[in-house]
């Protein structure tokens, strides 16, 4: 039985994130989604807000659990006995970035395996950065984020 | 319980292939390794030879099963109830290639998920093409292939 | 008034090709679609068949004209006074390939400009190679090619 | 008749920018060059200075018009009825970046098309960042920027 | 007789840096390693600390000399009559970055040649950024840095 | 004292090749240019023709020597005591290709170091493939190849 983890800032959770979570939830017994409490990049939304949306968006997935991440990703994995770290990759720049992170994580803990899912073409532009860029200009973001997020933000 | 498949020509199996198979065998309940009987690229070694080496190299992995692949990868998956197709990626050229294949496979069968593992740095050069290039010049290939293959070829 | 050209083997025309042609037809006064009579790569479909499908697929676009290409792309452009050569790019491997071709074309004729359109995400996998791969295995290709092509092939 | 837009910080305008503008001016009836008043990245030169150089550098191009950009690129396009957004691409990192922006813009306004021109090899290094790096060390920048800019800066 | 230079922040020196220095020291008569006194990026370790470690790590290489760099890399080269600037490249993102820098340097001084060495696979993850990330979380860095650095930091 | 080697098909030698050879000749005491007698890819020009042009093009470089290559590149290096293998890289696809070859060569002989020079922007399109493509259509190739080659071919 394999347990997987998916770590991120989810600032906010996008349709792209949710798609990866749903796909992982079909492959693994349990999926722990870790949300960084203190991201390096100052977060746009508060931790509480981000966690609230993450939980709402994942509510329909029985084997998905949302948790706070304090330390490194491999430590988060350890804390829930996850042996698989799931990542989404959109393009070659992501690829080079993730390859480095995966090498580092291997160094930290050989028992944790990184796997990559290709971002679905229809979600290629659904990044949190894009959401924030659109919000800055008061634009509609409903096609980028789960319905629950879109509803609350539009208010 | 998830079943995974790993498809290839294995002409011949390399340490890089074996590493991916071993890592997949830890993540999934069963791993089916499919070997193409008629590869597009004319194979260097006969099907029997390639299958023999594959089986020897995987003999220590209880949940790994070697099988012939006749049709498409998604059909091979279906035949053994695999829902996960495992691929190894070394670099950005591989990435673009695999992204296209994964899109195609998704089109053919939405229930089968492609996941990518980063080729370990120490196996980056362990491709079947490199093995064949070295053999062409009568060079030692023992650092590229599993011991059982190296032994037989050196004879 | 600018005239554009779009050159290819169209073996067969895909939804991706058609999308590029439609987008170009909005930007330029006239768009000439050139189909190589003798492609380097032996074509899967006959020239007549490829041309027939191309013409059918573009029939709704008044400013689009289908023509045979015998020589180099820049010569095809010259023959219809096109000053813009349109190309579709899917990924970084395409990018490096097209950049080289564009440099060559510039060398051959400085008056012809190459422009690139990003392949729409939903058509990323709609290449002629993918169509042919699917046909080889008797698979449905209706989501990759224009309706007129899908209908005739399914027969 | 197609109208194109080219947006940037032009901090300062380089020979690379000017080359793209000149090439676009040959392809489209009118080209609007938009200069961001408040770039995300704090600009090195004042808005007035940047606009002054842009106007001087484009003075010989009758169908090119320089304007201030306040909002998003697609809004700038709308304001002048431009349906084509022109971008220059140097390399694969640019490619991945521009692909994302183009997807976003498509989402915001389907009627505006992004086209990419390959940066000419001889201008590959003519970026505003490179100009500023050279200025920081008091180096000659005359090969990177239009003559009018080089003259004023050398003073 | 060729003299080479290798410039960096060395914040701190890693096994990857040292490998490049050792390989360069075999190819060229003299190798000058320049350490930026004031890096753009605020350094994590003091200049004195970085220089101390650099000197210790290179102590066994007779033709390697450590020096302070105040200005541009090409000026550093000039100051010691180096005609070759050595760079290490790990991946395609590095490649695009280094290609730009090399073009710039060529512009500044045509007599100085940039050469690239591929980072050895086993050192692919040995970047200063990775070291600092691990230190932030109190992790062991001994596999990323030369022994002398590891020893002092572990204290 | 370092000796370098540069291996290729030189089918035919281009301005890009010659530029790399000239730059290498400034960095190393001796440069051996090896020309494959039997390339994998069937050569367009005869071995004698390719060697003749190579020798003519390099005649002005005193420390450059042209030789036949029969086996692997590392063996060619060994035969002349070269410890450095020089390669030119144009783009990211080249990069991934060369990285693999360099890993292989390291495996074959640890004492031989691969270095890469960035192809100068003005020679980016000067590949032998491009030359042959142009020749196929009877086009002028004088801007892609050394003068001696252009003269003889134009006859």
């Amino acid at each position: 039985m394999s347990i997987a983890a998916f770590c991120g800032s989810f600032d906010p959770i996008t349709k792209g994130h949710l798609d990866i979570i749903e796909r992982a939830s079909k492959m693994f017994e349990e999926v722990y989604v870790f949300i960084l409490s203190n991201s390096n990049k100052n977060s746009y939304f508060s931790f509480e807000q981000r966690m609230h949306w993450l939980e709402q968006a994942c509510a329909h997935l029985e084997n998905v659990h949302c948790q706070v991440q304090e330390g490194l990703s491999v430590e988060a994995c350890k804390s829930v006995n996850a042996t698989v770290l799931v990542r989404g990759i959109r393009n070659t720049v992501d690829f080079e970035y993730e390859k480095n992170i995966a090498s580092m994580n291997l160094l930290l803990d050989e028992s944790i395996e990184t796997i990559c899912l290709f971002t679905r073409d229809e979600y290629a532009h659904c990044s949190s950065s894009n959401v924030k860029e659109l919000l800055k200009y008061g634009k509609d973001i409903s096609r980028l984020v789960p319905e629950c997020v879109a509803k609350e933000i539009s208010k």
Side-chain angles (χ1 to χ4, degrees), chain A:
Chain A
M1 201 191 84
S2 289
I3 297 172
F6 184 55
C7 303
S9 303
F10 305 105
D11 187 27
I13 182 173
T14 68
K15 284 187 178 174
H17 293 136
L18 187 54
D19 179 56
I20 298 285
I21 295 169
E22 287 175 343
R23 289 153 68 191
S25 79
K26 286 181 195 147
M27 274 188 280
F28 299 102
E29 272 67 19
E30 307 289 332
V31 175
Y32 286 86
V33 183
F34 283 98
I35 188 166
L36 284 162
S37 57
N38 277 316
S39 168
N40 268 344
K41 23 179 179 172
N42 296 325
S43 67
Y44 188 91
F45 293 106
S46 73
F47 170 74
E48 289 71 26
Q49 182 64 84
R50 292 183 282 134
M51 179 56 106
H52 170 67
W53 282 331
L54 182 63
E55 283 175 336
Q56 273 194 288
C58 298
H60 65 297
L61 300 165
E62 283 191 16
N63 63 341
V64 171
H65 318 285
C66 303
Q67 302 228 343
V68 193
Q69 180 183 343
E70 308 279 1
L72 289 163
S73 295
V74 291
E75 294 172 333
C77 289
K78 274 285 184 206
S79 71
V80 296
N81 295 318
T83 54
V84 178
L85 194 52
V86 176
R87 305 292 300 171
I89 304 194
R90 286 165 302 171
N91 59 37
T92 57
V93 173
D94 278 9
F95 173 82
E96 300 291 27
Y97 177 82
E98 294 293 342
K99 195 168 189 301
N100 175 47
I101 300 290
S103 288
M104 278 259 281
N105 285 336
L106 193 66
L107 200 82
L108 288 165
D109 191 332
E110 285 210 344
S111 67
I112 293 165
E113 185 66 58
T114 299
I115 68 165
C116 294
L117 306 188
F118 294 110
T119 303
R120 293 273 191 268
D121 290 330
E122 62 264 42
Y123 301 127
H125 53 284
C126 296
S127 67
S128 295
S129 313
N130 284 355
V131 171
K132 285 177 273 190
E133 183 72 9
L134 291 182
L135 285 176
K136 207 174 96 185
Y137 289 97
K139 297 293 166 192
D140 177 36
I141 55 156
S142 58
R143 274 178 292 177
L144 300 185
V145 295
E147 211 184 326
C148 60
V149 180
K151 260 190 205 160
E152 291 198 22
I153 285 181
S154 70
K155 287 188 243 169

